[in-house]
Amino acid sequence: MVGPMLRLVMLAALVGPIPAAATTGAEERERRLSGVQPAEETQRPRPQEEGPAWEIQVAGHGGAAGLVSRGEVRLALASTLGPADETVGYSRERSWGAGLRLMRDRWGVEARHHRVAGRGFTPSAMMRETHLLGSQDLAITESADDLLSAFAVREFPLVDGKARLYLAVGGGYLLMGGDSGRLVLEDLPPGVSRSGSFDGVIRDGTVEMTGGDFLADRGTPVFGGSLGLTVKMGQLIVRPRFDVYFGGARSTEESWDMQFDFAEVEHRTEATMTLNTTMRPRFFLFSVDVGWSSRP
């Protein structure tokens, strides 16, 4: 009697959990179909969505530069200060360089270096724009200036995002090079200054330059803006652009000790000649960037 009862109890223990397990499986399927999540899954924190990554653009460029130099030239002899001659010089030169642009969404920053071949921002070039005797005969050698700038950039997507118009504003520094630090009056051709006043009479004579000194600002700060169009072909970028820069005043001072020898009266006079220039540069640059982007 005990044996059959024991077998019935064991059988009930094995069969009993089956309906509960079946009920649990049915509830799980019903919950999945209805889209309801368990409480512990609903409360589980989700990873935060990341914003757009930085895009890196590296490019080289080449183009043409229109240069304008506005300023004043003043020549003084001994204690006599001459009137200031206002000058305006124009030239077209070559330009080349490289740049780096970092973009995040539609905003970014850009750093650029321009190398401009030109002679318009030199004291010699400014002297040639005056009416001083012999100034048109001054020699001007090749020169080159370095323009370093940084911009804040705003882009406006066009044509499915493959082309983007941009505007940029910023500033930088113009570093003068070449013959911008050369003495001007040492290039005066022979016979330019052959006459002088002695006893109220203009007499022929010779002039000997006995030594000179030169002081100049190494460069000048600039500010400006840029407008252009960035076209992307995969990771290749092509960007035609127009940049404008306005520079602050850059001053130079050149002084020479001189001897006037009037042969007719056997008289020699010593004096100091000083040349002062103040120049304010303007850059109008058209160039095309060709480079690589980290984002297709």
Side-chain angles (χ1 to χ4, degrees):
M1 190 68 178
V2 176
M5 291 295 293
L6 180 60
R7 285 195 295 271
L8 288 174
V9 172
M10 293 178 63
L11 182 61
L14 293 173
V15 175
I18 294 177
T23 302
T24 303
E27 292 177 353
E28 179 66 22
R29 287 193 298 272
E30 183 178 351
R31 183 169 55 248
R32 290 179 180 177
L33 291 174
S34 63
V36 179
Q37 298 295 328
E40 62 272 11
E41 294 184 8
T42 305
Q43 297 175 359
R44 185 181 303 168
R46 297 181 179 180
Q48 295 183 353
E49 295 184 0
E50 298 183 356
W54 285 97
E55 178 184 1
I56 303 174
Q57 299 177 3
V58 182
H61 63 264
L67 310 181
V68 180
S69 63
R70 294 180 176 272
E72 297 86 31
V73 175
R74 188 184 296 271
L75 191 64
L77 179 60
S79 58
T80 304
L81 188 63
D85 282 284
E86 295 187 359
T87 65
V88 181
Y90 304 91
S91 63
R92 289 190 297 245
E93 306 292 349
R94 304 181 311 277
S95 173
W96 63 94
L100 171 67
R101 179 177 289 191
L102 301 177
M103 297 298 303
R104 189 180 181 93
D105 196 15
R106 297 184 182 183
W107 292 92
V109 293
E110 180 184 55
R112 284 170 68 80
H113 168 246
H114 281 284
R115 182 78 166 174
V116 181
R119 303 175 298 173
F121 298 152
T122 65
S124 298
M126 295 181 65
M127 278 282 289
R128 293 190 64 168
E129 300 298 326
T130 69
H131 301 289
L132 297 174
L133 182 63
S135 60
Q136 299 301 316
D137 298 322
L138 289 175
I140 304 179
T141 60
E142 291 294 332
S143 178
D145 302 317
D146 293 294
L147 179 59
L148 308 174
S149 62
F151 283 136
V153 182
R154 177 71 163 91
E155 290 188 335
F156 305 90
L158 305 171
V159 192
D160 298 331
K162 295 302 181 181
R164 291 176 285 180
L165 180 71
Y166 81 87
L167 292 171
V169 293
Y173 192 77
L174 173 62
L175 187 64
M176 303 294 187
D179 70 346
S180 63
R182 295 177 64 245
L183 293 168
V184 178
L185 300 181
E186 68 180 352
D187 293 330
L188 286 174
V192 167
S193 297
R194 300 186 315 150
S195 61
S197 175
F198 181 73
D199 290 339
V201 179
I202 301 298
R203 301 179 182 274
D204 292 335
T206 59
V207 178
E208 181 181 358
M209 313 285 277
T210 59
D213 190 19
F214 186 81
L215 298 174
D217 299 331
R218 188 67 180 89
T220 181
V222 298
F223 64 93
S226 179
L227 171 66
L229 182 68
T230 300
V231 180
K232 300 185 68 175
M233 295 169 282
Q235 290 184 280
L236 175 68
I237 60 173
V238 178
R239 181 185 296 121
R241 58 189 296 164
F242 182 67
D243 297 53
V244 178
Y245 296 89
F246 298 89
R250 188 239 187 177
S251 300
T252 70
E253 179 179 292
E254 176 179 340
S255 59
W256 282 89
D257 295 327
M258 309 176 68
Q259 291 184 350
F260 293 87
D261 189 1
F262 299 98
E264 297 179 9
V265 294
E266 297 183 355
H267 180 80
R268 174 172 294 183
T269 299
E270 295 182 356
T272 300
M273 178 178 287
T274 304
L275 173 66
N276 295 95
T277 68
T278 301
M279 182 269 299
R280 290 173 291 276
R282 307 287 187 266
F283 286 85
F284 301 91
L285 306 175
F286 175 77
S287 58
V288 178
D289 293 352
V290 178
W292 170 86
S293 171
S294 64
R295 185 185 304 169

